[in-house]
Amino acid sequence: MRRFYLKTMGCQMNDHDSEVITGILLSLGYQQTEEVEEADLILYNTCCVRENPERKVYGHITAFRRLKEQNPELRIGICGCMPQQKQELQKMLEKLPHVDLIFGTHNIHRLPELLERANSGEQVVEVWDESQYEEGQDFRDELPVQRTDGLKAFVNVIYGCTNFCTYCIVPYTRGREHSRTPEKIREDVLGLVGDGYKEITLLGQNVNAYGKDLSEQTSFSDLLGDLNSIEGLERIRFTTSHPRDMGPELISSLANLDKVCEHLHLPVQAGSTSLLRRMNRGYTREYYLELVEKIRKAVPGISLTTDLIVGFPGETDEDFEATLSLVREVAFDSAFTFIYSPREGTPAARLPNQIPEELKKERIYELIRVQNEISDSIMRRMIGTRQELLVEGRSKDGLIGRTRTNRQVHFAGGVELLGSLVDVEITHAGTWSLQGRIL
Ligand code: SAH
Ligand code: SF4
Ligand code: F3S
C-alpha cells in the first residue's frame, strides 16, 4: 500500500484543487498520511501570490532530499501556481533537481498518467499554459473529489482571472476567465445536498464576472437565484467579489435570497484613489465607500471583510493614511493584511520607488492595530444578539457553530445537534471567538 502526503498552500482554489488531487490519489489506491516520513509520495500544491510561501517550498523540498536517501521509492512532486510561472519553473528545476514530478493548475486531470511515469523513474514535468477546453467545459467534472467535511463544500463557478491588477500574479497562473455552465453547477450542488451537505461556497477569483464568457445569457445573480431554490440546501456563500463588478442586481440577491448569507468579502486593497489607479483596480475611494453604503442599506447587519496591501511601490505617508482612514470609516469585521511582495513579470514589480522593508513593516503593524480595535468592538457589540448557527463541530467542552455572518461561536450542547441549525444568544466575546447559549 502506498501513502501520500499532500501540503496545500494559498487560496480556496488551491484548497479545492487539493480535494480533487486527493480524490484522484485515493482512486489510484494511495492512502493519505500526515507524516512525511511515512510517505511514498510528497506533493506540494503551491501558491506564488507572495514570496514568503515560495521560500518555504524551496526550504522544505530541499530538506526532503534526506528522506529520498532513506527511501529510494519516494517520489516528490510540486504542483499548483508556482510551476505556472516560466522563470519559477526553471529555478525549481535548477535548485530542486531531485523533484520527480511537476504539473500545473490546468492539467490536474493528467495526474494518473504523470504519476505512473514518475513512479517508473522518469522526471516528469508537464505544465500547460491554458486549460484546453471549449466554452463551459471543465476537465475537473469527471474527476473524483475527496471532501474532508460532510457539511460544507466548495464549488467552482469560474476559473482564472483577467483583471490584471498590477501587483498580482494570479492572471498569469490561472489563465483567462472561464465559467462553468449553470447546469453543471446546479448538478454539483444537487449531488452535494443529496449527500447531506448544508452549505456551499461558490468559488472564483472574481465570481461577479460569472457568465460573461458564456454565450448563454446569465449572470452571477441568476446563478444565486437558481441555487437558492434548491431544497435542503441551507446556506450559500461566495468568494471573491471585485468591487468594480458589484452591481445592484447582486446587492439585491444578497438582500433577498434567504439562503445567501449576510457576509461579503470585498477586497479594497488600498484607500487612496491614486494608489488604486496604479493598482489597476478600476474604482476610486469614493466609489468604494458609496458601494459599502448601498450594501449596508440593502443588507443591514451584513459582515464585511476585505484584503489590504501596504507598501505598494510609491505608497506615500498620505496614501497610507488614506488606507487607515478608509478602514476606520468602513469598519470592516475583519481584514487580511499583506505586505506588498514584488512578483516577477507583473507591472508593479518594475515600478520605481519600491518601499523599504522596514517601512512596510511599520505600516502593516499600524494597520493591524487599527483593524484589531475595530474587530474587537464589533465582536463586543454582538453580545446579547440572537444568531442562527450551523453546528459544524465539537470543541473541548461543547460544540462549535458558525453564524450566517461567518463567525465561530462556542456553546454547550449535545452531539445530536451536529449538522443542524440552532439559535443562540451571544453571551461572551473574545478577540477571535464568541460564546453563546442555546435559545
Ligand atoms: N481574486 C481575489 C484574491 C486574490 S489573491 C481578489 O481579487 O480579491 C488574495 C489577496 O492577496 C489579494 O486580494 C491581495 O490583497 C493579495 N495580494 C495579491 N498579490 C499580492 C502581492 N504581490 N503582494 C502582496 N499581496 C498581494
Ligand atoms: Fe489578482 Fe486582481 Fe485578479 Fe484578484 S482581481 S486575482 S487581485 S488580478
Ligand atoms: Fe495563490 Fe494561486 Fe490562489 S497564486 S492565491 S494559490 S490562485
Side-chain angles (χ1 to χ4, degrees), residues 57-63 65 78 82 91-100 102 123:
V57 171
Y58 282 98
H60 289 193
I61 303 276
T62 304
R65 191 177 306 194
I78 299 178
M82 270 172 81
K91 189 171 146 195
M92 258 181 223
L93 290 169
E94 272 161 42
K95 299 214 160 164
L96 307 168
H98 59 296
V99 164
D100 304 282
I102 298 181
Q123 186 186 45

Side-chain angles (χ1 to χ4, degrees), residues 46 51 68 95 167 178 188 211 255 257 266 277 288 298 348 380 427:
T46 60
E51 193 186 350
K68 267 193 113 160
K95 299 214 160 164
Y167 50 81
H178 179 83
D188 273 8
L257 299 175
L266 195 65
R277 186 175 306 124
Y288 189 89
R380 278 198 303 273
T427 54

Side-chain angles (χ1 to χ4, degrees), residues 384-399:
T385 62
R386 183 192 182 106
Q387 301 285 334
E388 179 202 270
L389 303 184
L390 177 62
V391 187
E392 295 179 351
R394 297 175 215 204
S395 69
K396 273 200 306 284
D397 32 37
L399 297 173

Side-chain angles (χ1 to χ4, degrees), residues 52 143 202 216 278 290 384 397 427:
N52 271 342
L143 301 176
L202 304 174
E216 120 182 49
R278 279 181 285 141
E290 278 166 31
D397 32 37
T427 54

Side-chain angles (χ1 to χ4, degrees), residues 49 160-172 174 177 204-206 240-244 267 269 279-281 307 309:
V49 80
C161 180
T162 38
N163 284 315
F164 292 97
C165 301
T166 55
Y167 50 81
C168 186
I169 195 76
V170 170
Y172 308 89
R174 292 271 165 177
E177 280 168 4
Q205 293 296 349
N206 177 18
T240 305
S241 291
H242 195 299
R244 188 200 52 218
Q269 312 299 356
M279 289 176 163
N280 192 31
R281 289 292 289 177
D307 292 348
I309 298 177

